[in-house]
Amino acid sequence: MPYLRIHFTEVDLGRTRLASRIDHMWEIVNAVQLLQHREGGLYFDGWRRWVRQEALAEPRLQRLLCTLQHIAPHAEYFPDFLTPAGGFDDLGDALDAVVSVPKSRLRTEMALLGCESAPSRAIADGGAPALHGLRAALGGFYRAAVQPRLEVVEAARHADLAHRMHTLLHDGVEAMLTGMAPGAVWEPPVLRLPYVVDSDLPLAGRGLRLVPCYFSLQGPVALADPGLPPTVAFPLDPATRLLAAERRPGDHLGALVGTTRAAILRLVLDGCSTRELIRRTGVAPATITHHTTILRDAGMIATQRDGAVASHHITPLGLRVLHRTG
């Protein structure tokens, strides 16, 4: 069986990080690939049918799919520039990063793809019209096929993140790493992941960014160029997709803990200072302090202080509550 062998140093273990926000580009690429095969029917057949029905009714979506399937095929390779490193909060910033790579890199990666379609050749040449069209195709596909399902995607990601944070806190980083895929093996200092081809990824002190993906199905995927910032995207725990799809709509969290505490719990998902909570909720400072104290005492948030600045972060328990209640 081929493996991806990721070589860690002690520094790399400390710099391993789990993406807490959705990575728009990894989700787009994985979603495009899901439409090119029939696997994972239990989780994705309903979504596939819906996208194809939309495409039949909207010729523009058909053209978007045709363009994207050429450059993000369901195959062993797709160009790294489609999934820029680092992650971006805003889809527009992510799309800008995709079309801002140097022309030499575009040519190299598109040559590795080996696609000779006219749109692919135009992208490889790096002309402004072709890159503008690629940006429009990626953004249009996201809005048509991913965004309508975003609530379910985020619910599944939050549940998966809660589980992995729990594993990290209770069992350590090695247990979290081996939990990325069935058959993963940790043989210090190397993590072996079942892969499509034999490959080695030396981290060399750069750390590793882990990206859980809702639309991913096939197993972990690393950037093809080992010189790029080390990144591995991998599928969510399948159970989280099913649980997220079964949720009933509505603000059950607000009904459970109150609307202000619910808002605070959502805002601290990626970390938030007291001053920022006050600004974003419009609630008085004393009231915010009262609510954060209650959430902290309940084990749903943790607070770190740096001088006069208090920063609040969600805990694994808070993530579980957030997921189960919407």
Side-chain angles (χ1 to χ4, degrees), residues 102-158:
K103 290 186 178 182
S104 59
R105 182 178 164 191
L106 275 176
R107 286 193 295 271
T108 298
E109 295 187 8
M110 292 300 291
L112 289 172
L113 183 62
C115 180
E116 292 299 323
S117 69
S120 298
R121 289 196 302 271
I123 292 170
D125 291 338
L131 293 180
H132 177 76
L134 173 61
R135 190 188 191 284
L138 291 165
F141 177 78
Y142 178 87
R143 288 185 288 272
V146 176
Q147 194 169 40
R149 199 175 177 83
L150 202 53
E151 183 178 349
V152 174
V153 172
E154 290 286 25
R157 288 185 61 262
H158 292 163

Side-chain angles (χ1 to χ4, degrees), residues 36-304:
Q36 300 175 56
H37 61 85
R38 298 181 179 180
E39 297 178 38
L42 178 63
Y43 315 111
F44 295 115
D45 271 357
W47 173 79
R48 287 185 180 111
R49 284 194 297 270
W50 176 76
V51 172
R52 286 164 180 155
Q53 288 169 359
E54 291 293 306
L56 287 174
E58 178 52 68
R60 180 174 176 272
L61 181 54
Q62 292 183 38
R63 293 193 295 271
L64 294 179
L65 282 173
C66 182
T67 297
L68 297 180
Q69 286 174 357
H70 282 298
I71 64 167
H74 174 54
E76 292 182 0
Y77 174 81
F78 65 85
D80 288 333
F81 73 83
L82 291 176
T83 50
F88 298 86
D89 293 340
D90 181 72
L91 174 63
D93 292 340
L95 294 172
D96 288 342
V98 169
V99 298
S100 298
V101 298
K103 290 186 178 182
S104 59
R105 182 178 164 191
L106 275 176
R107 286 193 295 271
T108 298
E109 295 187 8
M110 292 300 291
L112 289 172
L113 183 62
C115 180
E116 292 299 323
S117 69
S120 298
R121 289 196 302 271
I123 292 170
D125 291 338
L131 293 180
H132 177 76
L134 173 61
R135 190 188 191 284
L138 291 165
F141 177 78
Y142 178 87
R143 288 185 288 272
V146 176
Q147 194 169 40
R149 199 175 177 83
L150 202 53
E151 183 178 349
V152 174
V153 172
E154 290 286 25
R157 288 185 61 262
H158 292 163
D160 186 87
L161 186 61
H163 169 70
R164 296 185 195 281
M165 286 181 63
H166 183 274
T167 300
L168 175 63
L169 290 172
H170 288 268
D171 302 313
V173 65
E174 295 91 346
M176 185 188 71
L177 289 170
T178 55
M180 279 196 294
V185 177
W186 172 248
E187 294 177 340
V190 178
L191 174 68
R192 290 194 296 121
L193 298 171
Y195 210 54
V196 292
V197 294
D198 266 313
S199 181
D200 286 274
L201 176 57
L203 300 182
R206 296 174 295 168
L208 179 64
R209 179 172 180 258
L210 304 175
V211 184
C213 292
Y214 177 86
F215 288 103
S216 177
L217 186 66
Q218 300 298 313
V221 177
L223 297 176
D225 183 353
L228 293 172
T231 302
V232 173
F234 61 95
L236 300 185
D237 183 334
T240 62
R241 294 193 189 98
L242 295 177
L243 289 172
E246 291 171 357
R247 288 191 322 152
R248 295 180 179 180
D251 186 12
H252 307 300
L253 179 61
L256 176 67
V257 301
T259 55
T260 301
R261 289 175 202 159
I264 291 172
L265 200 58
R266 293 184 177 110
L267 288 171
V268 302
L269 182 62
D270 298 311
C272 197
S273 68
T274 299
R275 179 177 295 180
E276 185 70 5
L277 288 176
I278 294 168
R279 185 185 71 80
R280 296 180 69 176
T281 62
V283 175
T287 304
I288 286 292
T289 299
H290 171 71
H291 287 309
T292 54
T293 299
I294 291 174
L295 290 170
R296 184 168 55 252
D297 290 345
M300 290 190 227
I301 68 171
T303 301
Q304 295 177 330

